[in-house]
Amino acid sequence: MDNAPSPLAALAWLADAGVCEATGETPVDRFAAPAAVPNFSPPKPATRMLPQAAGDKPATAGTGAGPLAKSARTLAELKAALEAFDGCALKRTAQNTVFADGNPASRIMFIGEAPGADEDRIGTPFVGRAGRLLDKMLAAAGLDRDKVYITNVLNWRPPANREPSPDEAAACLPFLRRHIELVDPNLIVLLGAVASRHVMGVSEGIMKLRGRWLEYRLGDRMVPTMPTMHPAYLLRQPSHKKLAWRDLLAIQDHIINYRLLERRDQVR
Ligand code: URA
């Protein structure tokens, strides 16, 4: 006698467990041990070489951001350098410099756009409504703020949450690039089109970029980088959450396959 549950019973079991979306055509056993981890070859990113560093030179010339950011040897020094930096007009209207949250020993770095009102008031990224959704997105990938490191392209809130101008973003970019160097991640998740544009130098919309592996050049290595939808966008477009969930599953697979939850001893 075959003891396997009928497909209908299996579906009913999933529905009881709260599953309400089909996200792919092929079934995936997510409880199976990752196959052949030691020989796992990196995902072949559907990547072009991107003009990642091309955007940050002209507009930062004269602000002193580049040398100041480069001179920081630790995250604490970088934060102090940002707090001493006056080359970004947004700082004048902001209450706080919003630096980072999460675990600096993590190998997984999330990069958002810019602080909103709650973040500006408290001085920590992603603590408002979008932040609460980000926490749920992290949980969907088996993560939390102790397992990842979180920052933004901009460290100061743009008035009325408007999109940062190219000059404002360019003034902060040397700090972000140094931030990435100091955290030295093995995986970067870009939240939204603005982060993707400024970090990777791409111009496509997020619906085109999301779910595709890109590569961020960090010294002599390339860091797998996944753009996905910004939680604030998902609050406005909840029907796109299923796409974000797919991205998060790909991110989770990558984390498992590369053992990215193993912490480093050395934190800069
Ligand atoms: N949106 C962002 O991109 N970053 C924050 O810190 C908060 C909202």
Side-chain angles (χ1 to χ4, degrees):
M1 174 95 180
D2 185 0
N3 283 334
S6 76
L8 211 56
L11 268 179
W13 183 87
L14 287 171
D16 278 352
V19 176
C20 55
E21 298 271 8
T23 59
E25 300 298 325
T26 324
V28 178
D29 181 358
R30 297 202 174 274
F31 294 105
V37 170
N39 298 324
F40 189 86
S41 54
K44 261 271 156 273
T47 328
R48 302 138 294 158
M49 280 311 297
L50 299 162
Q52 142 190 329
D56 39 342
K57 287 190 184 99
T60 51
T63 64
L68 193 59
K70 274 277 171 217
S71 70
R73 286 158 305 163
T74 63
L75 292 170
E77 285 183 10
L78 187 68
K79 184 166 188 268
L82 263 169
E83 283 165 350
F85 177 63
D86 278 325
C88 178
L90 294 176
K91 191 176 189 181
R92 285 175 224 137
T93 49
Q95 291 182 51
N96 271 302
T97 299
V98 179
F99 186 65
D101 195 22
N103 193 330
S106 171
R107 299 168 189 272
I108 307 160
M109 187 167 189
F110 279 69
I111 303 177
E113 179 178 330
D118 294 314
E119 291 76 19
D120 184 38
R121 188 168 41 80
I122 293 169
T124 305
F126 285 102
V127 290
R129 260 187 93 212
R132 285 193 287 282
L133 182 55
L134 177 62
D135 287 336
K136 289 187 188 161
M137 292 165 72
L138 292 176
L143 302 171
D144 58 36
R145 286 190 192 225
D146 188 46
K147 296 193 176 95
V148 302
Y149 188 80
I150 304 172
T151 190
N152 284 309
V153 175
L154 276 288
N155 303 96
W156 298 284
R157 180 190 183 208
N161 297 343
R162 65 163 167 73
E163 193 172 305
S165 73
D167 275 3
E168 290 160 351
C172 292
L173 215 46
F175 292 97
L176 179 66
R177 299 239 182 267
R178 186 66 185 142
H179 209 152
I180 297 172
E181 282 170 12
L182 291 171
V183 174
D184 198 23
N186 296 92
L187 167 64
I188 298 174
V189 180
L190 298 171
L191 296 168
V194 173
S196 304
R197 186 185 322 140
H198 293 299
V199 175
M200 301 304 296
V202 290
S203 56
E204 290 104 319
I206 195 64
M207 293 309 283
K208 255 204 150 151
L209 288 169
R210 61 144 285 274
R212 287 162 52 194
W213 287 106
L214 307 177
E215 291 179 318
Y216 181 88
R217 180 181 291 284
L218 189 53
D220 55 8
R221 70 186 181 92
M222 304 304 278
V223 183
T225 298
M226 168 78 78
T228 190
M229 276 156 304
H230 193 287
Y233 173 84
L234 293 173
L235 287 170
R236 295 191 300 273
Q237 300 283 343
S239 65
H240 287 164
K241 281 185 187 169
K242 58 177 178 256
L243 298 176
W245 193 46
R246 275 185 211 166
D247 301 346
L248 291 165
L249 291 180
I251 288 165
Q252 186 181 37
D253 279 351
H254 188 91
I255 289 170
I256 292 169
N257 287 327
Y258 287 96
R259 304 187 201 277
L260 297 190
L261 291 179
E262 286 169 16
R263 303 251 169 105
R264 280 148 326 180
D265 303 329
Q266 281 240 312
V267 176
R268 281 191 279 186

